[in-house]
Amino acid sequence: MSRLLWMPAGDSITVGTGDTVPGGWRAGVVRGKLWDGLPWRSCGLTLTTTLGEGRMCGTNGLTVAEIADALALQAPLWLNDPTRTSIVDLTAGTNDTTQLATGGTPTVATSMTNYTALLDALFATRVTTVFVGLPVYHSTYPTGISTFNASLNPLLLARSEYTSGRLRIVDLYTTLGTDAANFDSPGHPGVVGNALCATAWNTAHTAAGY
C-alpha cells in the first residue's frame, strides 16, 4: 500500500478553535503516523494551519452547505490520484444547528439534503474512506445538536458506502459527552476533549486498516 494521503475537512472543530494545543484533535491524529502530507492550497476559504500533516479544507463558522460547495470544487483535485490511498476526516453540522436556533436557516431537513450533497461530492472522487465525526455537545444548543445527530446517523447508515466500508462513523458526541471539562467553550473541545477526539479518530482509522 502506498503511503496515505489525509484530508481533514469541516468547521471549527476540525480547525481546533479554542484549544491551546495547535491543531486541536488533528495534532493527536498525526502524531506518530507515517502519513504523507499534501501542500496546503486555498479552496476559496480562509484555511487555518498550524501543522504540516496534510491538506485541510476547513475554517470557523462553515455550514454543511458551505463545506459541500468547497469540497465539490476541490475534492476532485485533491483526492483523484489513482496511485494513492486517501482518507477524509469530516466534521460538519454544528453551525447549521446554531444558525437555526438563532432564527436563521437551514432547517434540519435542508441540512440533511446538504449533507447528502457533501458526501456525494466526496464519493464521486477516488477517496478510499470517509470518516464522519458526529457533531459534539453544545451547551447553548443541546437539543439542536441531539436533533441534528438523530437525523444524521440514520442518513449515514443508509448509504451504500457505509455498507461497503468506505464510510465510517466516529461518534464524537458520545466520546465527549456533556462533561464541561472536555470543552473550552460551548461546542469547542479543549485540550482534554480534543485528546479524546484524537483517540476516537485513531481507533476508527485502525479499525479500517490504516
Side-chain angles (χ1 to χ4, degrees):
M1 179 185 294
S2 62
R3 293 182 72 187
L4 186 67
L5 303 181
W6 175 42
M7 188 179 77
D11 50 27
S12 57
I13 309 301
T14 297
V15 172
T17 300
D19 193 344
T20 56
V21 176
W25 60 260
R26 294 180 292 117
V29 171
V30 71
R31 189 174 297 120
K33 300 285 189 182
L34 298 177
W35 294 354
D36 278 347
L38 293 171
W40 299 97
R41 177 185 296 176
S42 172
C43 61
L45 303 169
T46 301
L47 299 186
T48 302
T49 171
T50 48
L51 304 172
E53 83 281 29
R55 180 177 287 143
M56 181 178 69
C57 180
T59 194
N60 297 334
L62 294 187
T63 63
V64 172
E66 290 166 336
I67 297 168
D69 288 343
L71 289 176
L73 290 172
Q74 295 301 328
L77 303 177
W78 297 351
L79 300 171
N80 272 338
D81 184 343
T83 69
R84 305 300 293 272
T85 298
S86 59
I87 69 172
V88 173
D89 286 346
L90 172 67
T91 63
T94 298
N95 295 304
D96 291 60
T97 298
T98 57
Q99 286 190 15
L100 180 61
T102 55
T105 57
T107 64
V108 174
T110 301
S111 293
M112 294 304 111
T113 298
N114 294 335
Y115 220 114
T116 295
L118 190 164
L119 293 172
D120 288 346
L122 284 174
F123 287 117
T125 73
R126 293 178 178 270
V127 67
T128 311
T129 311
V130 175
F131 297 84
V132 174
L134 298 183
V136 301
Y137 174 74
H138 196 299
S139 59
T140 307
Y141 310 107
T143 302
I145 293 292
S146 296
T147 301
F148 187 94
N149 284 340
S151 295
L152 177 59
N153 201 54
L155 181 152
L156 299 173
L157 292 173
R159 289 190 66 101
S160 62
E161 296 90 356
Y162 179 82
T163 302
S164 69
R166 288 185 73 198
L167 173 64
R168 305 282 181 132
I169 301 171
V170 183
D171 190 353
L172 301 180
Y173 184 90
T174 300
T175 295
L176 297 190
T178 61
D179 188 347
N182 292 333
F183 297 89
D184 175 76
S185 61
H188 291 119
V191 174
V192 174
N194 273 318
L196 293 172
C197 288
T199 297
W201 290 110
N202 283 327
T203 298
H205 294 159
T206 300
Y210 301 116

